[in-house]
Amino acid sequence: MSPASTNEKDNDLAMADSMLTNILNKYNVEKYGLLQETYPANPDNKITYLAEGTMQKRNQEVSFLWPYSGMLSGVISLYKNTGDEKYLRILEERILPGLELYWDNIREPFCYQSYPMFNGESDRFYDDNDWLAIDFCDLYALTKNEEYLHKAQDLHKYIYSGWSDELEGGIYWCEQKKTSKNTCSNAPAAVLCMKLYNLTQDNDYLDLAKKTYNWTMKYLCDPEDSVYWDNIKLNGTIGKAKYTYNSGQMIQAGVLLYKATGDEQFLNDAKRTAKGSYEYFTKIRRGINGTNARFYSASPWFNVILSRGLIALYEIDNNPEYINTMAENARYAWMNARDENGFLGNDWTGNDSKPFKWLLDNACMIELYSEIGNIK
């Protein structure tokens, strides 16, 4: 990517560092070395994103795996973009030891489960492990520590244990609830395969990336706008909700496949999905300061995953429009939408502010602020 001005990039990195420090201080659960789900802690918090149902583990002491994983992505991104060893120390001394409390070494193949093992067995999600495996690939690329590559490969084995012949293939969403195959478990699996291929040059990973990518496109791409649906049930019923991260991962997978193979079809796919996503997920909204601007939908982490695809595409086609809008949204949110504790809600316009700020909505911003300073 072409660099932004030095001052702007420094400002973005300072925002990322400030968010990281603030989260580690305020969300801290010292008893476990983990983080809480919301700040302030919400005693009536109900988790709605698990297969087990909305009432699972009410009054939990610490966050679930998904929000915690956003911290790993964010600190890796900060380390990558600054080279500052303090971020590697935070990873090695704080984030990664906490992550291992979620490691299920009882049920094979081993992987990370949705809540720490000290509370017993929890559901295990293929997509949760996708995101972590991708992070471990990125961390290995930065450090050359073989431990991180082996972890990514182990998680890859777990993820593909969720592939089955129903619907001609595809990976389930949840190991304990094999009722649907979702874009969020398959698209990042294709990205993971490509990252492992680039690190190892093992053609089996490249072949599996193509197979996973093609399956996801066949079953879950809306032909009208090239934006991806959420899931397909085993009876063939499509769950037609659309979320930014699903399309973002297929954009990134397409770019990675194009770079590895030179096949223009993958690049053309990525361009169509990027265009469709921009048109579908953005609209002109009035910000809290009274100005009108184009904003992505109110789902920060999903948007950050979309940004990975948009940045990858930008590096190929040099069209900054889609990712610049994301960067402008993020900077606007920092200036206008933070609460008295320095945290953001899920709406970057600042108009819809909730009293309890979700860890994931803030952890993901560490990555976004770390990355947007590289965009011209």
Side-chain angles (χ1 to χ4, degrees):
M1 287 178 284
S2 301
S5 69
T6 301
N7 286 344
E8 189 171 65
K9 182 171 183 176
D10 287 347
N11 287 341
D12 293 329
L13 290 171
M15 289 187 285
D17 181 81
S18 175
M19 183 64 81
L20 169 62
T21 302
N22 202 25
I23 290 172
L24 290 177
N25 287 338
K26 290 191 170 74
Y27 282 79
N28 183 42
V29 182
E30 190 169 354
K31 177 180 177 182
Y32 297 110
L34 290 172
L35 302 169
Q36 58 197 44
E37 185 84 7
T38 65
Y39 187 83
N42 180 1
D44 297 319
N45 198 46
K46 296 179 181 179
I47 302 302
T48 60
Y49 51 81
L50 298 170
E52 295 164 311
T54 60
M55 301 300 288
Q56 190 220 30
K57 297 183 184 66
R58 290 187 64 185
N59 303 313
Q60 69 270 11
E61 293 180 272
V62 300
S63 80
F64 284 83
L65 176 64
W66 181 25
Y68 190 84
S69 73
M71 295 297 291
L72 181 62
S73 306
V75 184
I76 290 171
S77 185
L78 258 177
Y79 180 48
K80 180 188 76 174
N81 283 291
T82 66
D84 191 330
E85 293 291 323
K86 80 174 184 179
Y87 298 117
L88 184 59
R89 288 194 296 273
I90 291 171
L91 285 165
E92 293 176 341
E93 297 172 10
R94 179 81 188 267
I95 305 300
L96 289 168
L99 182 63
E100 289 312 298
L101 296 178
Y102 297 83
W103 182 254
D104 178 2
N105 62 353
I106 296 174
R107 293 172 287 181
E108 295 186 15
F110 301 153
C111 71
Y112 294 97
Q113 64 170 28
S114 59
Y115 200 72
M117 286 291 288
F118 59 66
N119 204 75
E121 291 184 357
S122 294
D123 279 358
R124 311 196 314 177
F125 292 83
Y126 297 107
D127 65 322
D128 281 355
N129 286 277
D130 276 326
W131 311 120
L132 292 164
I134 288 168
D135 284 341
F136 279 114
C137 286
D138 293 344
L139 189 52
Y140 171 70
L142 292 170
T143 64
K144 303 306 178 186
N145 183 334
E146 294 285 336
E147 175 187 351
Y148 301 137
L149 177 60
H150 294 155
K151 181 71 84 170
Q153 291 172 320
D154 287 345
L155 292 175
H156 177 273
K157 291 173 186 173
Y158 167 73
I159 291 158
Y160 276 91
S161 73
W163 183 282
S164 76
D165 292 335
E166 286 85 358
L167 300 170
E168 300 183 295
I171 300 166
Y172 289 105
W173 175 51
C174 177
E175 183 183 354
Q176 285 68 43
K177 191 177 181 181
K178 292 182 175 177
T179 58
S180 67
K181 296 185 174 183
N182 294 39
T183 305
C184 71
S185 46
N186 287 276
V191 171
L192 171 61
C193 287
M194 287 310 301
K195 285 183 177 275
L196 285 169
Y197 169 72
N198 289 335
L199 293 171
T200 67
Q201 295 302 299
D202 183 339
N203 282 318
D204 288 347
Y205 289 126
L206 178 58
D207 292 342
L208 195 51
K210 293 176 184 176
K211 183 178 180 180
T212 308
Y213 178 94
N214 289 333
W215 181 91
T216 309
M217 173 169 281
K218 177 179 179 179
Y219 281 93
L220 289 165
C221 185
D222 183 345
E224 294 296 316
D225 59 8
S226 297
V227 178
Y228 280 77
W229 293 311
D230 186 61
N231 68 80
I232 181 169
K233 300 286 192 294
L234 295 188
N235 66 7
T237 302
I238 302 288
K240 291 194 174 182
K242 292 176 177 177
Y243 303 106
T244 46
Y245 73 142
N246 287 328
S247 292
Q249 282 295 275
M250 287 299 283
I251 296 168
Q252 187 177 11
V255 171
L256 290 169
L257 281 161
Y258 165 71
K259 290 170 72 175
T261 67
D263 186 340
E264 294 277 348
Q265 185 60 51
F266 293 121
L267 181 59
N268 291 335
D269 292 345
K271 288 180 177 179
R272 281 195 298 271
T273 299
K275 181 176 185 292
S277 295
Y278 192 69
E279 293 171 354
Y280 186 88
F281 291 114
T282 68
K283 62 181 180 179
I284 302 297
R285 297 180 63 197
R286 183 174 294 276
I288 197 171
N289 68 356
T291 60
N292 291 329
R294 183 170 295 278
F295 283 91
Y296 280 91
S297 56
S299 47
W301 183 85
F302 288 178
N303 292 343
V304 173
I305 301 301
L306 172 60
S307 78
R308 295 180 185 180
L310 298 180
I311 289 169
L313 181 59
Y314 169 68
E315 290 173 342
I316 299 294
D317 71 0
N318 296 311
N319 175 10
E321 180 181 12
Y322 308 145
I323 191 59
N324 269 347
T325 298
M326 186 88 68
E328 290 161 3
N329 288 178
R331 293 181 184 124
Y332 180 92
W334 181 268
M335 295 300 296
N336 298 282
R338 286 180 298 154
D339 67 10
E340 67 276 9
N341 297 305
F343 295 125
L344 293 163
N346 70 337
D347 181 357
W348 287 341
T349 69
N351 288 304
D352 183 13
S353 184
K354 299 175 177 63
F356 301 102
K357 300 303 192 293
W358 191 24
L359 173 60
L360 188 60
D361 286 341
N362 289 278
C364 71
M365 302 306 287
I366 302 170
E367 176 180 344
L368 190 55
Y369 290 128
S370 296
E371 296 293 337
I372 59 176
N374 293 318
I375 302 159
K376 186 174 182 180

